[in-house]
Amino acid sequence: MTPKVSRFLRDAAPATPCLVVDVDRVAENYGRLKAAMPLARIYYAVKANPAAPILGRLVDMQSCFDAASLEEVRLCLDAGARPEDISFGNTVKKESAIQAAYAAGVRMFAFDSEPELRKLARSAPGAKVYCRILVGNVGAEWPLSKKFGCEVEMARDLMVMARDLGLDPYGISFHVGSQQTRTAAYEAAIARVAMLFTDLKDAGINLRMANLGGGYPVRYRAEVPEIDAFGAAIMGAMVEHFGNALPEILIEPGRFIVGDAGVLSAEVVLVSRKEQDDPVRWVYLDIGRFGGLAETEGEAIKYAFRTPHDGGAEGPVTIAGPTCDSTDTLYEKSNYRLPLALDCGDRVELLSTGAYVTTYASQGFNGFAPLAEHYI
Amino acid sequence: MTPKVSRFLRDAAPATPCLVVDVDRVAENYGRLKAAMPLARIYYAVKANPAAPILGRLVDMQSCFDAASLEEVRLCLDAGARPEDISFGNTVKKESAIQAAYAAGVRMFAFDSEPELRKLARSAPGAKVYCRILVGNVGAEWPLSKKFGCEVEMARDLMVMARDLGLDPYGISFHVGSQQTRTAAYEAAIARVAMLFTDLKDAGINLRMANLGGGYPVRYRAEVPEIDAFGAAIMGAMVEHFGNALPEILIEPGRFIVGDAGVLSAEVVLVSRKEQDDPVRWVYLDIGRFGGLAETEGEAIKYAFRTPHDGGAEGPVTIAGPTCDSTDTLYEKSNYRLPLALDCGDRVELLSTGAYVTTYASQGFNGFAPLAEHYI
């Protein structure tokens, strides 16, 4: 928690639940990543947190943007981004969305299938396109499935087809999974991309771009590698496979840029036991999985807690949200412990909650209003 | 799909994704349940779908209401419900919410712990209170955890305490899990409730109410028992355990009342394969888990699909939503098959989607607007 967030929570005591984001920290994180990977162009993954103050600050720092939808493209433009700095990174788009983004000046699009490529040829003629390939996600705390990307052989054929359809076959992308804590996943993926570059050169196509996706980890409960070491390992793999002929390098960080800039302030609604001698207390907060903490599904992302009683004796807890849905339980198996003195009405903070929280919030499940947000 | 919904979709062709609910069907379902369990008072579980046209129609039919939050209490009052017909059924409430509901005239509250009971004694003096106990959920497609309810021994002690704190120890509730397809779960739970009635009578407390919760199933892909047989089995268990001295019986149906009254209309955004010869196609819709279909988590609720190509040759599919989150995949392991002719731009319908869809929708994940709703 940055001193600015801490002061704001103390002085303003905003109604809970709410997210407080230190926008200066966002800028610092951008700077740290830029320093760790100076050759890479940063496309901020807008879906991580599309708030206008964040997008505005990143525009000031000359960031580019990775948009998941036409609506996100518009948010970037509204924040002052130039259309040529926006990549429409969802490989699954309505053709009407492609048309509208193209009309707004967007010229870079992702795809991973022939039908999508044909939509792009019709509705974004001449645009730069990049194909997403499937890669391993071992080491990621929020791994991805096969939902996005195609096999390498298909990617090769599709890039040839892209040229034949009048598009600009620009590059290859992959994603190693979010909150990826190992560099080996990047190294293996980069090797596949390099092979594709070679294969396609033989077919007369000179790819110019490698999009390394996102996944750079944030510290929650456990330590994660430093971004400098991460960046060095990734750039080492690029040099190993591409030598002096490095392509343009794009990265799409989301969590890394905004995650630790945000703190969620919540209230304890109830602390109870299921039977008299049960050692485990149930702690119910006024925010849960449907109020924004969607990434606690399967207890994947393990947020760290601060309470007013930290330092006192602790005991095991199950932590749950406020709705009548019992899947709205955050942590039951992850060995969370909280102070025995914790009680109804206490305010607690969940750290590093700046990413993938606000927009997930349900519009009103069980009647609860969406999460309030403060950008300072 | 009712003829009215079918006509509306054909004639109005509303923009996708949207939910269309036949409010007459809601009324029919209420009537069917009333007929199947004539001795029970129906408390509609507002969280299943809190839309004003639904609440208004149920007020007209003299339904009572089970509210999960102060906001839901207000929705019921706004729809014309009398405060004495509202039960504040969440066992986890902010004390400020209890105060406000009590001030609005609500006099029935659930609880399952001592701290909650003390809140009620302070902020809802004299109110009818009922304690929720833990029971088995075997047979439920959307089972509940231990999040709500306490062990029977604790319930006994808490009801004695309720009397001593000046509250009205009214009854006992349980929940067998949502989309419960077996009556055995009710029968076992009713036996426990009857034992508690006897135990507490010995302590000088005459409980007057048994709240059997919800869980009554709706037909999705698989057949479910008819509600008449269900009601008869449940009432049989009540008579077996209580004889002629039947208590007031409350039930809290949500899904049963609104589930099959709703149809979700969606558009196919993309149909693709991950490699050339892959037999499995990926079908991407413009709605997914974060657009309202939260109950597809773990592929728990398996909605039935209608497409314009039904009757033609089919093949295996994975069905996914439109966001860049790969957990936004609906069905990968449930052996869904869809027509081979299905293509981008086709409209499809998801049947029996009237419950637990609209309010779950995220307020804007990946920039997508919440689900549109039409009540006809």
Side-chain angles (χ1 to χ4, degrees):
Chain A
M1 178 154 36
T2 69
K4 199 160 63 152
V5 170
S6 189
R7 256 194 325 270
F8 178 82
L9 285 172
R10 192 192 59 214
D11 298 344
T16 63
C18 70
L19 178 72
V20 185
V21 176
D22 181 342
V23 182
D24 293 332
R25 181 57 169 259
V26 171
E28 276 169 46
N29 288 340
Y30 180 90
R32 279 200 300 145
L33 187 56
K34 192 77 205 161
M37 299 183 71
L39 292 182
R41 215 153 68 232
I42 297 176
Y43 281 70
Y44 171 63
V46 177
K47 59 183 169 292
N49 189 324
I54 290 175
L55 300 183
R57 179 65 74 95
L58 290 172
V59 167
D60 292 345
M61 298 192 78
Q62 266 130 30
S63 181
C64 298
F65 297 90
D66 165 43
S69 65
L70 177 61
E71 292 73 12
E72 285 193 357
V73 167
R74 289 189 174 133
L75 290 174
C76 294
L77 294 172
D78 291 348
R82 302 180 310 168
E84 57 266 39
D85 292 336
I86 299 171
S87 162
F88 200 153
N90 194 334
T91 57
V92 179
K93 301 173 284 297
K94 286 191 180 178
E95 193 157 341
S96 58
I98 296 171
Q99 278 165 7
Y102 188 79
V106 174
R107 290 293 179 274
M108 199 196 308
F109 296 85
F111 75 99
D112 64 5
S113 69
E114 180 179 332
E116 190 75 11
L117 193 59
R118 292 193 179 277
K119 289 185 211 166
L120 290 168
R122 281 191 299 266
S123 296
K128 291 177 182 172
V129 296
Y130 60 95
C131 187
R132 180 159 163 178
I133 59 170
L134 285 163
V135 298
N137 275 197
V138 173
E141 292 182 10
W142 190 252
L144 311 180
S145 67
K146 290 179 74 169
K147 182 175 177 186
F148 300 107
C150 63
E151 296 295 344
V152 168
E153 298 69 33
M154 185 182 258
R156 187 197 165 282
D157 294 347
L158 290 174
M159 289 310 270
V160 173
M161 183 183 287
R163 178 197 57 193
D164 297 345
L165 288 170
L167 292 160
D168 176 0
Y170 182 44
I172 302 294
S173 78
F174 62 81
H175 203 296
V176 293
S178 196
Q179 185 69 3
Q180 174 59 261
T181 55
R182 290 162 53 178
T183 54
Y186 284 98
E187 290 157 9
I190 287 167
R192 307 191 94 183
V193 172
M195 279 198 305
L196 258 177
F197 268 63
T198 305
D199 275 7
L200 281 159
K201 194 161 198 176
D202 295 345
I205 294 177
N206 281 305
L207 298 182
R208 286 121 57 210
M209 185 275 283
N211 179 336
L212 313 185
Y216 314 102
V218 155
R219 195 197 154 154
Y220 294 109
R221 286 207 306 183
E223 291 288 344
V224 297
E226 286 296 325
I227 194 65
D228 290 343
F230 227 75
I234 292 169
M235 290 310 298
M238 286 298 291
V239 170
E240 182 190 337
H241 290 285
F242 286 94
N244 283 336
L246 279 181
E248 296 172 46
I249 300 171
L250 269 57
I251 56 177
E252 297 170 339
R255 193 185 303 278
F256 185 85
I257 301 288
V258 292
D260 75 358
V263 170
L264 207 151
S265 179
E267 184 181 316
V268 175
V269 183
L270 181 67
V271 180
S272 67
R273 294 175 203 264
K274 296 298 163 184
E275 50 191 323
Q276 218 65 51
D277 303 325
D278 197 338
V280 177
R281 293 161 298 150
W282 278 71
V283 174
Y284 300 84
L285 305 178
D286 61 1
I287 186 164
R289 282 191 50 204
F290 302 109
L293 301 175
E295 289 198 321
T296 59
E297 179 180 342
E299 310 194 14
I301 298 292
K302 296 178 183 66
Y303 296 111
F305 284 71
R306 289 262 181 94
T307 83
H309 310 287
D310 287 353
E314 294 182 337
V317 290
T318 292
I319 304 173
T323 69
C324 279
D325 191 327
S326 66
T327 61
D328 184 13
T329 298
L330 306 178
Y331 303 114
E332 195 164 8
K333 298 165 193 141
S334 300
N335 300 315
Y336 271 82
R337 297 172 64 83
L338 287 174
L340 296 173
L342 197 69
D343 204 357
C344 304
D346 280 340
R347 282 182 85 121
V348 298
E349 284 99 41
L350 284 72
L351 308 185
S352 294
T353 40
Y356 299 112
V357 168
T358 56
T359 54
Y360 271 118
S362 82
Q363 60 172 334
F365 187 55
N366 276 213
F368 294 109
L371 185 63
E373 305 170 43
H374 306 279
Y375 295 87
I376 60 175
Chain B
M1 177 155 34
T2 70
K4 200 160 62 151
V5 170
S6 190
R7 256 194 323 271
F8 178 82
L9 285 173
R10 191 191 59 214
D11 299 344
T16 64
C18 69
L19 178 73
V20 184
V21 176
D22 181 342
V23 182
D24 294 333
R25 180 59 169 259
V26 171
E28 276 170 45
N29 288 340
Y30 180 91
R32 279 201 299 145
L33 187 57
K34 191 79 207 160
M37 299 184 71
L39 292 182
R41 215 154 68 233
I42 297 176
Y43 280 70
Y44 171 63
V46 177
K47 59 183 170 290
N49 189 325
I54 290 175
L55 300 183
R57 179 65 74 96
L58 290 171
V59 167
D60 293 345
M61 300 193 76
Q62 268 130 28
S63 181
C64 297
F65 297 91
D66 164 43
S69 65
L70 177 62
E71 292 72 13
E72 285 193 357
V73 168
R74 291 190 173 132
L75 290 175
C76 295
L77 295 172
D78 290 349
R82 303 181 309 167
E84 56 268 38
D85 291 336
I86 300 171
S87 162
F88 200 153
N90 193 335
T91 58
V92 178
K93 301 173 285 296
K94 285 189 180 178
E95 193 158 341
S96 57
I98 295 171
Q99 280 165 5
Y102 188 79
V106 174
R107 290 293 179 274
M108 199 196 309
F109 296 86
F111 74 99
D112 64 6
S113 68
E114 181 180 332
E116 191 76 9
L117 193 58
R118 293 193 179 277
K119 287 184 212 168
L120 290 168
R122 281 192 299 266
S123 297
K128 291 178 180 170
V129 295
Y130 59 95
C131 187
R132 179 159 165 180
I133 60 170
L134 285 164
V135 298
N137 275 197
V138 173
E141 292 183 10
W142 190 251
L144 311 179
S145 67
K146 290 179 74 169
K147 182 175 176 185
F148 300 108
C150 63
E151 295 296 343
V152 168
E153 299 69 33
M154 187 184 257
R156 186 196 167 283
D157 295 345
L158 290 175
M159 289 310 270
V160 173
M161 184 183 288
R163 178 195 57 192
D164 297 345
L165 288 171
L167 292 160
D168 177 0
Y170 182 45
I172 302 293
S173 78
F174 62 80
H175 204 296
V176 295
S178 195
Q179 185 69 2
Q180 173 60 261
T181 55
R182 291 163 54 179
T183 54
Y186 284 97
E187 290 156 10
I190 287 168
R192 308 192 93 183
V193 172
M195 279 197 306
L196 257 178
F197 269 63
T198 306
D199 276 6
L200 280 161
K201 195 160 199 176
D202 295 343
I205 293 175
N206 281 307
L207 299 181
R208 288 124 55 211
M209 184 276 283
N211 179 336
L212 313 185
Y216 314 102
V218 155
R219 195 197 154 154
Y220 293 109
R221 286 208 304 182
E223 291 289 344
V224 298
E226 286 297 324
I227 193 66
D228 291 343
F230 227 76
I234 291 169
M235 290 310 298
M238 286 298 293
V239 169
E240 181 189 339
H241 290 286
F242 287 94
N244 283 335
L246 278 182
E248 296 172 46
I249 300 171
L250 268 57
I251 56 176
E252 296 170 340
R255 192 185 305 277
F256 184 85
I257 301 289
V258 292
D260 74 359
V263 170
L264 207 151
S265 179
E267 184 181 318
V268 175
V269 183
L270 181 67
V271 181
S272 67
R273 294 176 203 262
K274 296 298 164 185
E275 50 191 320
Q276 217 65 51
D277 303 325
D278 197 339
V280 178
R281 292 160 300 149
W282 279 70
V283 174
Y284 300 85
L285 305 178
D286 61 1
I287 187 166
R289 282 191 50 204
F290 302 109
L293 302 175
E295 290 198 321
T296 58
E297 178 180 343
E299 310 193 13
I301 298 293
K302 296 177 183 65
Y303 297 110
F305 283 71
R306 290 263 180 92
T307 83
H309 310 287
D310 287 352
E314 294 182 338
V317 290
T318 293
I319 304 174
T323 69
C324 278
D325 191 328
S326 66
T327 61
D328 184 12
T329 297
L330 306 178
Y331 303 113
E332 195 165 8
K333 299 165 192 140
S334 300
N335 299 316
Y336 271 82
R337 296 172 64 83
L338 288 174
L340 295 173
L342 197 68
D343 204 357
C344 303
D346 281 340
R347 283 182 84 122
V348 299
E349 284 98 42
L350 284 72
L351 308 185
S352 294
T353 39
Y356 299 112
V357 168
T358 56
T359 55
Y360 271 118
S362 83
Q363 60 171 335
F365 187 53
N366 275 212
F368 294 109
L371 186 63
E373 304 171 42
H374 306 280
Y375 295 87
I376 60 174

